Amino acid sequence: MIRVKNLRVPYDDTRPLAEAAAERLNVSPCAVHGVIVVHKALDARRRRGAPIVWGYTLDISVEKERAVLARLRRDKDVMPAPMEERLTVPHVGDCGVRPVVVGFGPAGIFAAWVLARAGLAPLVLERGQDVDRRTADVARFWQTGVLDPASNVQFGEGGAGTFSDGKLTARSNDPRMHEIIEAFVAAGAPEEIRYLQKPHIGTDLLRRVVKHLRYEIIRMGGEVRFGAQVTDVELRAGQLAALIVNDAERIPADAAFFGIGHSARDTYAMLHEAGLAMEAKAFAVGVRIEHAQAFIDRMQYGAAAGSPQLPVADYAMTYRDEAGGRGVYSFCMCPGGMVVAAASEAGRLVTNGMSNYRRDSGIANSALLVQVTPADWGGDVLSGIRFQRELEERAFRLGGGDYCAPVQSVGDFCAGRTGMRDFAVTPTYVPGVHPADLRALLPPACTASLARALTFWEARVPGFGAADVPMTGVESRSSAPCRILRDAATMASVSAAGLYPIGEGAGYAGGIMSASLDGLKAALAFLGNMK
């Protein structure tokens, strides 16, 4: 196989990819026997009138491969295709007390997946419910406002990412990412996630994928229990000895992987009281903004917007507020999606974004977040949680006290007034929205930074911060408010041997892929420590 990088193909070129590959290698199309897409990315920058193109990396099976490589030996973008490396998991087998995985989000799933492959028959304890029951509980909450604190957008099989856009992007180039992607594909995810620069699954497909990952873990010897919350840990001389489940059952354990998610506030408090070393960390808070997807498509694609050869467009906005000393940025942008109710505690309101695989709602939404740090709330390591709760309680009151969310137009927000109800798009949040002053929701320093950011973005992208664009609050769960300290080499807690903090809830990841990789790496570190 020959690898070709940086092959640029106009977005509207409908020729078979093998023809473009043959042209690039200057061989007859009949000489190309197969093409594998390794990477595919859209370049829509349109600088100086440049066309929109797909950029490919391809592995090409071609006749007289050695001769072709020799002829193109000076071409830096043509080379032999490298051999694919596969993850090796040592088979350990029964070693006495089986390891426990606490939480069945991305980090917990892939920690359990590795441990099961090693023959250790891990026990998974998930406080929430399986994805089918969880989906029904979430639907009931959105329709009626009746919240189940144990089964919601934050807690249950698949973690918070199950009700999201299902983005699989990550900054890491760790080759083990490939194993995670292959596991997703084997569980029913679209094969295109293997090569797209911005892969996503969508919440509708992701629910099926996490269920099939559970089946695979069970097939390899693991056990998954739902409605099983770890309410205490038993330590002896700095070593994990047991877990207490639902305040009643004691499970002996000398190794446990805590993938608790960023919303397990009671678990944070329990671990802090048990003496685990933790620290407060920065995160971000803000609102959800919504536009017509057609506007975002025009913003990114210009005259090509609406072409069936182009995906629905996304965006990324950043602003450094020098006056306030804070960063403001878009986060978890959901093309063709909806804003959803993501509360996990009674009397507290939280928003999030979600998209199905087809991203076809016609409305784009994104969080607009302002950085906050421990200096904004002070106090002990758990004060960030209190800060979040105050915002969520305020949002609940401003929305009318029935889980309707406070909404305001950009124009009213920036002008410091309220009253507009004729929005550019109908807000998608359910159970519903209630007009309110978002300046009364966020801290003054955050509202000032956000207002300046909106003015800055509107000047550069007219329409993005238009007066009638709606914003809904509050977005307060962007990342964990604290970090459970661990040893960099062993990935175990620095204060409790055998306890492995993993994923987004532990403060070491952000998103499905980075959390999955963190859980996988921790399980591999554990296996390495057993030698």
Side-chain angles (χ1 to χ4, degrees):
M1 298 284 279
I2 294 176
R3 174 157 295 183
V4 173
K5 296 182 177 180
N6 300 317
L7 176 63
R8 295 169 68 80
V9 178
Y11 79 91
D12 54 355
D13 186 341
T14 57
R15 291 180 300 163
L17 201 52
E19 289 187 19
E23 183 179 281
R24 177 66 178 82
L25 295 176
N26 194 21
V27 300
S28 166
C30 297
V32 174
H33 298 309
V35 175
I36 297 173
V37 180
V38 178
H39 187 69
K40 180 181 179 181
L42 187 68
D43 184 351
R45 289 173 290 183
R46 296 179 291 124
R47 294 176 179 174
R48 298 179 181 176
I52 299 173
V53 299
W54 287 106
Y56 287 94
T57 296
L58 303 177
D59 282 351
I60 305 166
S61 175
V62 62
E63 289 179 3
K64 299 180 181 179
E65 178 180 309
R66 290 184 180 180
V68 174
L69 285 170
R71 175 166 51 81
L72 299 174
R73 63 186 180 278
R74 298 186 185 277
D75 190 327
K76 64 180 178 60
D77 290 328
V78 179
M79 64 206 72
M83 295 293 293
E84 183 179 291
E85 296 183 13
R86 298 306 304 267
L87 176 68
T88 300
V89 177
H91 191 274
V92 178
D94 186 10
C95 62
V97 180
R98 63 178 172 172
V100 179
V101 176
V102 180
F104 204 50
I109 286 171
F110 280 92
W113 183 75
V114 169
L115 296 170
R117 284 182 62 175
L120 291 175
L123 170 63
V124 178
L125 303 174
E126 165 56 50
R127 66 188 293 167
Q129 297 299 325
D130 68 84
V131 71
D132 291 329
R133 177 172 166 184
R134 182 187 182 197
T135 299
D137 292 338
V138 168
R140 183 173 62 254
F141 171 50
W142 291 347
Q143 293 163 6
T144 68
V146 177
L147 173 69
D148 183 343
S151 180
N152 46 63
V153 168
Q154 306 296 344
F155 301 137
E157 184 171 23
T162 302
F163 292 90
S164 71
D165 185 56
K167 292 181 182 67
L168 302 181
T169 51
R171 295 175 182 172
S172 173
N173 292 321
D174 192 305
R176 289 168 291 193
M177 287 287 194
H178 171 76
E179 297 291 335
I180 296 169
I181 290 291
E182 288 301 315
F184 279 129
V185 171
E191 292 190 8
E192 67 195 24
I193 69 172
R194 288 180 170 135
Y195 55 79
L196 287 178
Q197 181 188 33
K198 296 180 179 179
H200 85 287
I201 299 179
T203 187
D204 50 343
L205 301 189
L206 190 56
R207 295 172 198 171
R208 181 181 69 203
V209 168
V210 298
K211 186 193 304 187
H212 288 166
L213 286 169
R214 186 221 313 166
Y215 294 160
E216 177 63 9
I217 289 167
I218 293 171
R219 185 193 68 78
M220 293 188 292
E223 177 186 354
V224 182
R225 290 173 51 185
F226 296 106
Q229 180 180 353
V230 174
T231 51
D232 204 356
V233 295
E234 187 178 304
L235 306 177
R236 293 178 185 169
Q239 166 68 50
L240 179 67
L243 305 174
I244 308 302
V245 178
N246 296 335
D247 293 316
E249 181 184 3
R250 181 182 183 275
I251 298 177
D254 54 18
F257 298 78
F258 273 67
I260 59 177
H262 59 41
S263 294
R265 294 164 170 173
D266 46 5
T267 307
Y268 283 135
M270 178 270 289
L271 294 174
H272 186 251
E273 185 175 346
L276 265 73
M278 302 168 66
E279 65 182 8
K281 62 179 283 291
F283 54 99
V285 298
V287 297
R288 281 266 157 190
I289 191 167
E290 294 186 88
H291 300 88
Q293 182 62 50
F295 167 77
I296 303 301
D297 291 347
R298 291 192 301 272
M299 181 178 87
Q300 298 292 39
Y301 300 146
S307 168
Q309 278 79 42
L310 289 170
V312 291
D314 61 6
Y315 63 81
M317 297 290 195
T318 61
Y319 172 70
R320 178 63 188 174
D321 181 27
E322 298 296 341
R326 298 172 189 270
V328 188
Y329 57 95
S330 60
F331 173 80
C332 186
M333 193 270 149
C334 297
M338 62 286 297
V339 179
V340 299
S344 60
E345 295 178 327
R348 299 186 175 110
L349 186 145
V350 186
T351 65
N352 197 7
M354 185 178 84
S355 298
N356 287 325
Y357 171 70
R358 294 189 178 276
R359 291 174 163 173
D360 56 2
S361 76
I363 307 294
N365 77 81
S366 177
L368 299 182
L369 300 180
V370 183
Q371 294 173 331
V372 291
T373 71
D376 289 300
W377 55 80
D380 62 26
V381 69
L382 300 180
S383 292
I385 293 175
R386 289 193 286 274
F387 178 83
Q388 289 176 323
R389 281 173 164 162
E390 288 172 3
L391 294 181
E392 294 167 14
E393 289 166 5
R394 212 173 296 156
F396 184 74
R397 293 194 300 271
L398 286 171
D402 57 358
Y403 294 105
C404 287
V407 66
Q408 187 177 25
S409 70
V410 169
D412 280 3
F413 177 80
C414 290
R417 62 174 182 260
T418 57
M420 179 178 285
R421 295 170 182 257
D422 186 16
F423 299 116
V425 296
T426 301
T428 57
Y429 175 96
V430 289
V433 295
H434 183 79
D437 183 3
L438 295 180
R439 286 179 177 265
L441 169 61
L442 298 170
C446 293
T447 59
S449 291
L450 180 56
R452 286 189 284 267
L454 287 163
T455 301
F456 175 85
W457 292 328
E458 172 62 16
R460 281 152 182 77
V461 186
F464 184 85
D468 57 353
V469 170
M471 299 190 301
T472 307
V474 62
E475 180 94 6
S476 55
R477 310 277 184 95
S478 61
S479 65
C482 53
R483 179 177 291 112
I484 306 170
L485 302 183
R486 70 186 187 192
D487 180 84
T490 66
M491 299 185 72
S493 164
V494 298
S495 51
L499 195 154
Y500 293 79
I502 58 174
E504 191 166 346
Y508 294 96
I512 292 172
M513 287 301 290
S514 61
S516 299
L517 180 63
D518 200 61
L520 180 147
K521 290 167 62 177
L524 290 175
F526 168 73
L527 295 175
N529 296 340
M530 293 177 65
K531 295 179 181 179

